[in-house]
Amino acid sequence: MKSAQHKPGALETRLRQTRDTGRKILVPYITGGLTGWIDAIRGAAANGADAIEIGIPFSDPVMDGPIIQMASEKALRDGATPISILHELRGVDVSIPLIVMCYYNTVFRAGHTRFANSLREAGVVAAIVPDLPLEESAHWCESADSIGIETVMLAAPTAPDERLPRVVERARGFVYAVGLLGVTGERTELATTAVAMATRLKKITDMPVLVGVGVSNAAQAQQACAVADGVIQGASVVRRLLDEGADSVAQYVGEVRAAIDTPVSTNR
Amino acid sequence: MNPEQVPRELLTPGADGRFGEFGGRFVPETLVPACEELERAFNEAWSDSLFRTELDDLLREYAGRPSILTECHNLGAQLGIRLILKREDLNHTGSHKINSVLGQVLLAKRMGKKRIIAETGAGQHGVASATAAALLGLECKVYMGAVDIERQSLNVFRMKLLGATVEAANSGSRTLKDAVNEAMRDWVASVETSYYCIGSVMGPHPYPFMVRQFQSVIGKEARKQFQEICDGSDPNIVVACVGGGSNAMGIFSGFIDADTRLVGVEPAGGAAVGRGTPGVVHGMKSYLMQDEYGQVQEAHSISAGLDYPGVGPEHSYLASVGRAEYPSVNDQEVIEGFKLLARAEGIIPALECAHAVAWIAKEAPKIQGQTVLMNLSGRGDKDVAQMMTILGDSLS
Ligand SMILES: Cc1ncc(COP(=O)(O)O)c(C=O)c1O
């Protein structure tokens, strides 16, 4: 196993500490600009989230399934822009790290340096750009690194063994293990690839490894955490925000927290 | 730009998949290994004489190549130019799409894939994909915008008849752009068994390059055929319509080093090169119609096949270096162009190519006496129902 060659930033330092105390890491995803999204962030933070991933809605989200697509369309219809979302985030007084998820055209259109600066000014510490793979990431990463924004890299089940270490090497904050072959959305079962990916990654890095995409409820989060350092929950959170509102998100985050605080074995 | 400095060479993109600053491979990490595998497989196949022979045989005996040239004596005289058509409308399935599809589906088979995914706008690429899948024994799923399913219902039925499954894309503008999104989502989930058969010179590397290579048969044939009927000379102007840009790249590729004006005609409501700015969507960096925040704008065109806010990266490159020009025409001009070719020559063009006709008619006063080679990329049968609604009783 290789230790990080880079100096860990705010997110990575925080997540390493959390992990090293034996606590599993929980990161809910919330689409920025939806009705009640700021309350949902506060509620999630108060109920056991360790960081929050905020999605900046994009017109053509190719990594997203129906729920997050619907949320993105709704937020855009209601007038959300990257600027309005980052502006509202400045007023959020939670004490956990904020991460932004956005498609690359949002970054490209704003300009790398300008975008990284706007994240920092909004108090965001990290970025996930799902359509910017390793080979295309150098320019953005250079700007992000120099401004202190940690770029989380995704590692997918299709990556051959030879590729994973290169992805991990470029990752900052944590490594995002893509849990299945497919787009975001709720599934009835946790795919076998979720734990398999976490296992492959844990073998080659001591950075925190979080599983996301297709982790759909408390029980699946618990299963994934048998190997992973934590989980990202997207569609299951966004669906609750869309259908039931911010309180429902807070309650759900509390449920998932309780589940991952209880290891699988003692629960059966 | 000084005309002397305009590059006159066809580019082969390197490992970064770029045409100048355009192109690349902006895809989810899940798809990167698949794109790399495809790049290797295509390069191997393209330099394998067995593969090339097999493809050439299919193009000849199944698609009906070479397609002929037809001189438009009536319309030419009317406009004061010499107008010659490259007849891609006479190919099996009725458009140029079959050229790339036969190549891609043969390649898919060679790669051991069992299933073809395709997106379609007008339905021509969907029909071609369903056709090739039927011929070569693969399963086929076609994504099509709900709006397009409505206006191209004949092609939807043809695809089903050929054994393909047609799935409606109901997000966003519910046209071609959204069909591409759905196809990419399917591909992310099924990448191990499925081959994504892209319909134009777009998407992540190697697609824009690969589809151009498959379509270059149009330009190769056309250059030789044109020289045969025009005493060894090249046309003054080559014209084609541009949606993603595959029929245009196909014919342009044969004349890139010639002393010929290359004109790609875009719809006014989907003028990516004409009105767009550089952006990244569908795996590529290219000109794109987008707002100040990078949200992709919806295109609006009478022709489903050109209703796309982006364009293949090689066209962005050719525009940026001044080798090709990209004017646009509006829907009304297209309707006139559609009627014009039908009445003057007895050829009903696809609405897509009616864009090229419309530009030629409009430009005619400025190009008197010149030779114009137009790529007639498809036939108009699929558009007749739509035109019946639009023209109705106005025809006499
Ligand atoms: C006849 C015809 N021409 C042109 C196009 C546009 O595609 P491209 O620009 O890739 O040639 C289509 C697409 O459906 C078509 O059916």
Side-chain angles (χ1 to χ4, degrees):
Chain A
M1 189 188 300
K2 257 175 80 186
S3 321
Q5 300 288 302
H6 57 271
K7 186 173 170 296
L11 178 64
E12 185 173 335
T13 304
R14 181 78 169 255
L15 297 187
R16 280 177 181 274
Q17 283 166 357
T18 306
R19 181 200 43 203
D20 295 346
T21 63
R23 175 180 161 105
K24 293 294 179 180
I25 298 161
L26 175 57
V27 181
Y29 168 100
I30 291 164
T31 301
L34 284 181
T35 307
W37 72 285
I38 294 284
D39 288 339
I41 292 176
R42 293 202 179 103
N47 282 274
D50 297 295
I52 308 274
E53 183 183 336
I54 295 118
I56 297 185
F58 180 53
S59 53
D60 296 82
V62 292
M63 256 310 276
D64 288 304
I67 290 174
I68 294 179
Q69 281 175 50
M70 200 196 305
S72 305
E73 280 193 34
K74 188 164 186 301
L76 289 175
R77 262 202 316 277
D78 290 349
T81 68
I83 291 178
S84 72
I85 287 169
L86 292 177
H87 183 79
E88 281 189 70
L89 265 187
R90 285 179 192 214
V92 178
D93 39 7
V94 292
S95 58
I96 55 175
L98 301 178
I99 305 160
V100 146
M101 197 294 300
C102 62
Y103 285 86
Y104 179 60
N105 202 41
T106 306
V107 181
F108 178 70
R109 186 75 170 139
H112 294 163
T113 304
R114 198 171 127 217
F115 190 74
N117 275 320
S118 71
L119 293 184
R120 195 182 56 178
E121 284 158 20
V124 172
V125 295
I128 301 172
V129 191
D131 57 346
L132 193 68
L134 186 64
E135 288 76 4
E136 299 286 359
S137 67
H139 278 122
W140 157 252
C141 286
E142 201 179 304
S143 300
D145 284 352
S146 72
I147 291 164
I149 297 295
E150 292 159 85
T151 304
V152 174
M153 299 301 283
L154 285 84
T158 48
D161 285 339
E162 159 283 311
R163 182 175 177 83
L164 279 190
R166 290 187 287 128
V167 172
V168 165
E169 168 94 28
R170 192 37 263 182
R172 302 288 183 272
F174 64 90
V175 181
Y176 192 132
V178 177
L180 50 73
L181 284 184
V183 295
T184 60
E186 293 174 282
R187 312 291 200 282
T188 48
E189 307 264 340
L190 185 70
T192 52
T193 39
V195 170
M197 259 332 273
T199 307
R200 286 176 73 194
L201 287 164
K202 294 290 291 179
K203 268 194 205 140
I204 60 166
T205 182
D206 73 341
M207 285 183 81
V209 172
L210 274 62
V211 179
V213 183
V215 184
S216 313
N217 56 39
Q220 292 181 18
Q222 189 186 36
Q223 266 176 286
C225 283
V227 176
D229 297 315
V231 290
I232 298 154
Q233 298 221 281
S236 58
V237 174
V238 172
R239 178 172 57 77
R240 284 172 172 83
L241 180 55
L242 281 171
D243 293 352
E244 294 156 29
D247 289 348
S248 169
V249 170
Q251 190 195 333
Y252 175 60
V253 168
E255 257 171 56
V256 180
R257 176 82 260 161
I260 62 177
D261 284 348
T262 319
V264 181
S265 50
T266 58
N267 196 36
R268 287 247 162 108
Chain B
M1 182 168 308
N2 179 347
E4 242 84 290
Q5 293 166 350
V6 171
R8 286 182 187 273
E9 240 180 292
L10 207 53
L11 291 189
T12 297
D16 65 355
R18 294 295 199 279
F19 299 91
E21 64 175 295
F22 301 102
R25 187 178 280 158
F26 297 87
V27 290
E29 171 66 20
T30 307
L31 294 178
V32 171
C35 290
E36 288 175 347
E37 183 200 3
L38 177 60
E39 185 181 359
R40 277 191 304 274
F42 170 70
N43 287 332
E44 273 170 32
W46 197 242
S47 54
D48 175 354
S49 60
L50 279 176
F51 178 85
R52 296 292 288 272
T53 304
E54 199 178 353
L55 177 58
D56 287 347
D57 288 351
L58 277 179
L59 289 173
R60 192 177 59 249
E61 288 160 19
Y62 188 72
R65 302 207 71 88
S67 66
I68 58 173
L69 293 192
T70 297
E71 176 147 11
C72 298
H73 294 286
N74 303 333
L75 187 53
Q78 194 179 323
L79 298 174
I81 59 173
R82 193 161 177 205
L83 177 60
I84 290 161
L85 304 178
K86 176 66 171 162
R87 298 293 303 277
E88 293 300 301
D89 62 320
L90 297 179
N91 296 337
H92 179 46
T93 70
S95 82
H96 69 293
K97 300 286 184 186
I98 195 76
N99 303 330
S100 151
V101 163
L102 286 174
Q104 289 195 66
V105 177
L106 262 189
L107 184 60
K109 201 152 177 176
R110 185 181 161 109
M111 292 170 75
K113 304 290 181 185
K114 304 276 179 257
R115 176 175 175 267
I116 300 293
I117 315 161
E119 86 293 335
T120 197
Q124 290 302 98
H125 178 64
V127 167
S129 300
T131 299
L135 177 71
L136 297 171
L138 299 177
E139 197 189 317
C140 179
K141 172 115 170 212
V142 182
Y143 290 92
M144 189 168 186
V147 169
D148 296 336
I149 286 185
E150 190 82 4
R151 59 180 163 176
Q152 300 284 348
S153 57
L154 190 65
N155 269 345
V156 175
F157 185 70
R158 287 168 82 197
M159 288 183 261
K160 290 181 180 165
L161 210 51
L162 291 159
T165 316
V166 181
E167 179 128 347
N170 275 309
S171 56
S173 56
R174 304 187 298 146
T175 60
L176 181 53
K177 148 179 114 69
D178 311 282
V180 176
N181 290 338
E182 284 306 329
M184 287 189 81
R185 290 180 187 121
D186 181 320
W187 194 29
V188 169
S190 65
V191 57
E192 287 173 330
T193 52
S194 298
Y195 177 93
Y196 181 15
C197 182
I198 288 193
S200 192
V201 282
M202 47 180 273
H205 181 61
Y207 282 103
F209 168 63
M210 177 176 73
V211 174
R212 180 198 81 197
Q213 295 299 78
F214 285 137
Q215 290 292 2
S216 65
V217 64
I218 303 174
K220 243 182 236 123
E221 285 175 9
R223 180 114 183 234
K224 192 159 154 275
Q225 292 167 319
F226 190 94
Q227 290 178 345
E228 277 162 16
I229 59 174
C230 293
D231 305 323
S233 69
D234 290 320
N236 296 114
I237 309 175
V238 167
V239 190
C241 63
V242 173
S246 67
N247 87 87
M249 265 331 297
I251 196 155
F252 287 2
S253 66
F255 296 90
I256 204 93
D257 61 347
D259 192 13
T260 295
R261 249 177 101 186
L262 305 178
V263 180
V265 186
E266 295 186 302
V273 186
R275 297 216 331 259
T277 46
V280 175
V281 77
H282 296 154
M284 61 186 173
K285 183 181 291 179
S286 197
Y287 283 113
L288 179 67
M289 289 170 55
Q290 56 184 330
D291 73 8
E292 60 181 306
Y293 303 111
Q295 306 296 354
V296 181
Q297 286 169 333
E298 296 179 2
H300 293 286
S301 168
I302 188 173
S303 114
L306 305 187
D307 217 343
Y308 183 65
V311 66
E314 194 168 7
H315 287 293
S316 294
Y317 166 74
L318 292 177
S320 71
V321 298
R323 178 63 190 98
E325 52 197 291
Y326 297 86
S328 53
V329 293
N330 65 37
D331 286 353
Q332 194 50 48
E333 293 166 331
V334 172
I335 293 170
E336 293 308 317
F338 183 83
K339 287 198 295 194
L340 188 62
L341 193 67
R343 300 239 162 147
E345 299 293 338
I347 296 172
I348 301 176
L351 273 174
E352 289 76 19
C353 343
H355 286 70
V357 179
W359 180 82
I360 292 166
K362 197 159 81 164
E363 189 77 358
K366 293 189 222 153
I367 54 172
Q368 289 293 298
Q370 297 195 16
T371 50
V372 179
L373 172 65
M374 184 193 120
N375 198 22
L376 185 63
S377 56
R379 62 181 185 229
D381 308 34
K382 70 185 174 60
D383 300 312
V384 167
Q386 187 188 352
M387 291 308 283
M388 241 164 81
T389 320
I390 293 172
L391 295 173
D393 299 332
S394 74
L395 298 183
S396 52

